[in-house]
Amino acid sequence: EAMADQEWWYMNKEGEKTGPAPVDLLEALWLAGEMDGLTPVWKEGMPDYLPVSQVDTLRAYFQALDGDDEEEDEEFEEVVTAAGVVPSVADAG
């Protein structure tokens, strides 16, 4: 299934489950700082909500948005998991 065809649910900052949302909406929320590595997300086939940093497809997608072309960057993954935030998003504004 192509990323563009996937519909996701996410938990907004008020803790409300919101969706279904297409990936381009999640992308806009990410770039606006409304979502980060800790934002819980879910789509059909997943047992439960997981933070973005633990969902490989979304993490890689958002990582690419942030201008990191390396597909496998374990250091990045450790930073996201430890800090719960993605470097460069917080200071983008």
mmCIF file of all heavy atoms in Angstrom, residues 1 3 5 10-12 15 17-18 22 33 44 47 50 55-57 59 62 68-69 73 79 90 92:
data_model
loop_
_atom_site.group_PDB
_atom_site.id
_atom_site.type_symbol
_atom_site.label_atom_id
_atom_site.label_comp_id
_atom_site.label_asym_id
_atom_site.label_seq_id
_atom_site.Cartn_x
_atom_site.Cartn_y
_atom_site.Cartn_z
ATOM 1 N N GLU A 1 0.850 -1.199 0.000
ATOM 2 C CA GLU A 1 0.000 0.000 0.000
ATOM 3 C C GLU A 1 0.884 1.248 0.000
ATOM 4 O O GLU A 1 1.768 1.381 0.828
ATOM 5 C CB GLU A 1 -0.897 -0.016 1.237
ATOM 6 C CG GLU A 1 -1.899 1.112 1.263
ATOM 7 C CD GLU A 1 -2.788 1.056 2.513
ATOM 8 O OE1 GLU A 1 -2.348 0.495 3.534
ATOM 9 O OE2 GLU A 1 -3.872 1.584 2.454
ATOM 10 N N MET A 3 2.182 5.005 0.619
ATOM 11 C CA MET A 3 2.003 5.944 1.730
ATOM 12 C C MET A 3 0.839 6.894 1.466
ATOM 13 O O MET A 3 0.055 7.198 2.349
ATOM 14 C CB MET A 3 3.280 6.768 1.951
ATOM 15 C CG MET A 3 4.370 6.033 2.696
ATOM 16 S SD MET A 3 3.947 5.610 4.407
ATOM 17 C CE MET A 3 4.051 7.208 5.224
ATOM 18 N N ASP A 5 -1.848 6.481 -0.003
ATOM 19 C CA ASP A 5 -3.172 5.864 0.104
ATOM 20 C C ASP A 5 -3.537 5.490 1.537
ATOM 21 O O ASP A 5 -4.672 5.107 1.807
ATOM 22 C CB ASP A 5 -3.234 4.602 -0.765
ATOM 23 C CG ASP A 5 -3.028 4.919 -2.233
ATOM 24 O OD1 ASP A 5 -3.368 6.044 -2.650
ATOM 25 O OD2 ASP A 5 -2.513 4.049 -2.952
ATOM 26 N N TYR A 10 -4.605 9.820 14.614
ATOM 27 C CA TYR A 10 -3.559 10.311 15.511
ATOM 28 C C TYR A 10 -4.211 10.947 16.728
ATOM 29 O O TYR A 10 -5.394 11.286 16.712
ATOM 30 C CB TYR A 10 -2.656 11.324 14.790
ATOM 31 C CG TYR A 10 -3.354 12.619 14.423
ATOM 32 C CD1 TYR A 10 -3.271 13.736 15.261
ATOM 33 C CD2 TYR A 10 -4.083 12.725 13.245
ATOM 34 C CE1 TYR A 10 -3.923 14.914 14.926
ATOM 35 C CE2 TYR A 10 -4.731 13.898 12.908
ATOM 36 C CZ TYR A 10 -4.651 14.997 13.760
ATOM 37 O OH TYR A 10 -5.304 16.161 13.440
ATOM 38 N N MET A 11 -3.430 11.066 17.790
ATOM 39 C CA MET A 11 -3.925 11.694 19.000
ATOM 40 C C MET A 11 -3.412 13.131 19.018
ATOM 41 O O MET A 11 -2.200 13.371 18.969
ATOM 42 C CB MET A 11 -3.433 10.921 20.232
ATOM 43 C CG MET A 11 -4.498 10.786 21.301
ATOM 44 S SD MET A 11 -4.018 9.626 22.597
ATOM 45 C CE MET A 11 -4.424 8.052 21.840
ATOM 46 N N ASN A 12 -4.335 14.089 19.042
ATOM 47 C CA ASN A 12 -3.904 15.487 19.032
ATOM 48 C C ASN A 12 -3.404 15.900 20.416
ATOM 49 O O ASN A 12 -3.381 15.100 21.348
ATOM 50 C CB ASN A 12 -5.022 16.401 18.515
ATOM 51 C CG ASN A 12 -6.236 16.425 19.435
ATOM 52 O OD1 ASN A 12 -6.167 16.092 20.611
ATOM 53 N ND2 ASN A 12 -7.368 16.833 18.881
ATOM 54 N N GLY A 15 -5.250 15.091 23.413
ATOM 55 C CA GLY A 15 -5.455 13.687 23.712
ATOM 56 C C GLY A 15 -6.666 13.095 23.025
ATOM 57 O O GLY A 15 -7.126 12.016 23.388
ATOM 58 N N LYS A 17 -8.524 11.339 19.865
ATOM 59 C CA LYS A 17 -8.221 10.534 18.680
ATOM 60 C C LYS A 17 -8.875 11.195 17.471
ATOM 61 O O LYS A 17 -10.072 11.487 17.479
ATOM 62 C CB LYS A 17 -8.733 9.105 18.871
ATOM 63 C CG LYS A 17 -7.959 8.375 19.961
ATOM 64 C CD LYS A 17 -8.508 6.986 20.234
ATOM 65 C CE LYS A 17 -7.680 6.306 21.321
ATOM 66 N NZ LYS A 17 -8.223 4.990 21.678
ATOM 67 N N THR A 18 -8.078 11.462 16.456
ATOM 68 C CA THR A 18 -8.517 12.234 15.302
ATOM 69 C C THR A 18 -8.227 11.473 14.023
ATOM 70 O O THR A 18 -7.136 10.934 13.850
ATOM 71 C CB THR A 18 -7.766 13.593 15.269
ATOM 72 O OG1 THR A 18 -7.916 14.221 16.534
ATOM 73 C CG2 THR A 18 -8.321 14.497 14.183
ATOM 74 N N PRO A 22 -5.309 11.555 5.861
ATOM 75 C CA PRO A 22 -4.340 11.130 4.853
ATOM 76 C C PRO A 22 -2.929 11.567 5.251
ATOM 77 O O PRO A 22 -2.757 12.472 6.077
ATOM 78 C CB PRO A 22 -4.801 11.852 3.588
ATOM 79 C CG PRO A 22 -5.533 13.057 4.087
ATOM 80 C CD PRO A 22 -6.164 12.648 5.399
ATOM 81 N N GLY A 33 4.683 21.531 13.431
ATOM 82 C CA GLY A 33 5.047 21.281 14.816
ATOM 83 C C GLY A 33 3.902 20.759 15.665
ATOM 84 O O GLY A 33 4.008 20.701 16.893
ATOM 85 N N GLU A 44 -5.220 0.903 10.295
ATOM 86 C CA GLU A 44 -5.767 -0.438 10.249
ATOM 87 C C GLU A 44 -4.642 -1.459 10.141
ATOM 88 O O GLU A 44 -3.695 -1.264 9.381
ATOM 89 C CB GLU A 44 -6.710 -0.557 9.052
ATOM 90 C CG GLU A 44 -7.708 -1.673 9.193
ATOM 91 C CD GLU A 44 -8.767 -1.638 8.097
ATOM 92 O OE1 GLU A 44 -9.221 -0.533 7.740
ATOM 93 O OE2 GLU A 44 -9.113 -2.720 7.617
ATOM 94 N N PRO A 47 -2.108 -3.167 16.189
ATOM 95 C CA PRO A 47 -2.869 -3.577 17.376
ATOM 96 C C PRO A 47 -3.284 -2.402 18.251
ATOM 97 O O PRO A 47 -4.320 -2.452 18.906
ATOM 98 C CB PRO A 47 -1.906 -4.500 18.123
ATOM 99 C CG PRO A 47 -0.555 -4.167 17.596
ATOM 100 C CD PRO A 47 -0.742 -3.690 16.179
ATOM 101 N N LEU A 50 0.729 3.781 18.577
ATOM 102 C CA LEU A 50 2.160 3.808 18.883
ATOM 103 C C LEU A 50 2.684 5.204 18.587
ATOM 104 O O LEU A 50 2.187 5.877 17.677
ATOM 105 C CB LEU A 50 2.929 2.823 17.998
ATOM 106 C CG LEU A 50 2.856 1.343 18.332
ATOM 107 C CD1 LEU A 50 3.567 0.531 17.255
ATOM 108 C CD2 LEU A 50 3.503 1.074 19.694
ATOM 109 N N VAL A 55 6.984 3.817 14.698
ATOM 110 C CA VAL A 55 6.320 3.351 13.474
ATOM 111 C C VAL A 55 7.284 3.601 12.311
ATOM 112 O O VAL A 55 7.455 4.728 11.849
ATOM 113 C CB VAL A 55 4.988 4.090 13.250
ATOM 114 C CG1 VAL A 55 4.309 3.584 11.976
ATOM 115 C CG2 VAL A 55 4.065 3.910 14.456
ATOM 116 N N ASP A 56 7.948 2.515 11.860
ATOM 117 C CA ASP A 56 9.050 2.660 10.906
ATOM 118 C C ASP A 56 8.676 3.453 9.661
ATOM 119 O O ASP A 56 9.423 4.320 9.225
ATOM 120 C CB ASP A 56 9.577 1.284 10.492
ATOM 121 C CG ASP A 56 10.304 0.590 11.641
ATOM 122 O OD1 ASP A 56 10.636 1.273 12.632
ATOM 123 O OD2 ASP A 56 10.534 -0.618 11.536
ATOM 124 N N THR A 57 7.507 3.162 9.079
ATOM 125 C CA THR A 57 7.155 3.828 7.820
ATOM 126 C C THR A 57 6.987 5.333 8.011
ATOM 127 O O THR A 57 7.510 6.118 7.225
ATOM 128 C CB THR A 57 5.863 3.236 7.223
ATOM 129 O OG1 THR A 57 4.853 3.223 8.234
ATOM 130 C CG2 THR A 57 6.090 1.834 6.707
ATOM 131 N N ARG A 59 8.123 7.186 10.581
ATOM 132 C CA ARG A 59 9.363 7.795 11.042
ATOM 133 C C ARG A 59 10.283 8.077 9.860
ATOM 134 O O ARG A 59 10.854 9.164 9.736
ATOM 135 C CB ARG A 59 10.065 6.895 12.061
ATOM 136 C CG ARG A 59 11.230 7.605 12.747
ATOM 137 C CD ARG A 59 12.018 6.663 13.629
ATOM 138 N NE ARG A 59 12.796 5.753 12.813
ATOM 139 C CZ ARG A 59 12.800 4.438 12.960
ATOM 140 N NH1 ARG A 59 12.074 3.863 13.876
ATOM 141 N NH2 ARG A 59 13.549 3.688 12.178
ATOM 142 N N PHE A 62 8.831 11.030 7.750
ATOM 143 C CA PHE A 62 9.055 12.343 8.355
ATOM 144 C C PHE A 62 10.539 12.694 8.399
ATOM 145 O O PHE A 62 10.922 13.853 8.272
ATOM 146 C CB PHE A 62 8.451 12.403 9.756
ATOM 147 C CG PHE A 62 6.944 12.392 9.770
ATOM 148 C CD1 PHE A 62 6.250 11.701 10.735
ATOM 149 C CD2 PHE A 62 6.222 13.079 8.808
ATOM 150 C CE1 PHE A 62 4.863 11.688 10.755
ATOM 151 C CE2 PHE A 62 4.830 13.077 8.809
ATOM 152 C CZ PHE A 62 4.150 12.379 9.792
ATOM 153 N N ASP A 68 16.823 14.509 5.855
ATOM 154 C CA ASP A 68 17.821 13.484 6.132
ATOM 155 C C ASP A 68 17.646 12.370 5.116
ATOM 156 O O ASP A 68 16.678 11.630 5.152
ATOM 157 C CB ASP A 68 17.635 12.960 7.559
ATOM 158 C CG ASP A 68 18.772 12.042 7.969
ATOM 159 O OD1 ASP A 68 19.480 11.536 7.069
ATOM 160 O OD2 ASP A 68 18.950 11.834 9.166
ATOM 161 N N ASP A 69 18.595 12.243 4.188
ATOM 162 C CA ASP A 69 18.452 11.290 3.093
ATOM 163 C C ASP A 69 18.882 9.876 3.462
ATOM 164 O O ASP A 69 18.643 8.949 2.711
ATOM 165 C CB ASP A 69 19.267 11.747 1.873
ATOM 166 C CG ASP A 69 18.685 13.025 1.287
ATOM 167 O OD1 ASP A 69 17.464 13.234 1.431
ATOM 168 O OD2 ASP A 69 19.444 13.800 0.691
ATOM 169 N N ASP A 73 19.711 5.280 9.767
ATOM 170 C CA ASP A 73 20.520 6.154 10.611
ATOM 171 C C ASP A 73 20.199 5.804 12.056
ATOM 172 O O ASP A 73 19.286 6.343 12.649
ATOM 173 C CB ASP A 73 20.201 7.618 10.310
ATOM 174 C CG ASP A 73 21.157 8.574 11.021
ATOM 175 O OD1 ASP A 73 21.865 8.141 11.955
ATOM 176 O OD2 ASP A 73 21.194 9.747 10.651
ATOM 177 N N VAL A 79 18.317 8.953 19.158
ATOM 178 C CA VAL A 79 18.011 10.308 19.625
ATOM 179 C C VAL A 79 16.505 10.486 19.744
ATOM 180 O O VAL A 79 16.006 10.992 20.740
ATOM 181 C CB VAL A 79 18.604 11.368 18.664
ATOM 182 C CG1 VAL A 79 18.046 12.749 18.978
ATOM 183 C CG2 VAL A 79 20.115 11.373 18.765
ATOM 184 N N ALA A 90 11.937 21.575 16.190
ATOM 185 C CA ALA A 90 11.650 22.571 17.239
ATOM 186 C C ALA A 90 12.165 23.954 16.872
ATOM 187 O O ALA A 90 11.555 24.964 17.202
ATOM 188 C CB ALA A 90 12.262 22.114 18.563
ATOM 189 N N ALA A 92 12.597 25.106 13.789
ATOM 190 C CA ALA A 92 12.289 25.456 12.401
ATOM 191 C C ALA A 92 11.542 26.785 12.325
ATOM 192 O O ALA A 92 11.537 27.449 11.299
ATOM 193 C CB ALA A 92 11.451 24.361 11.747
#
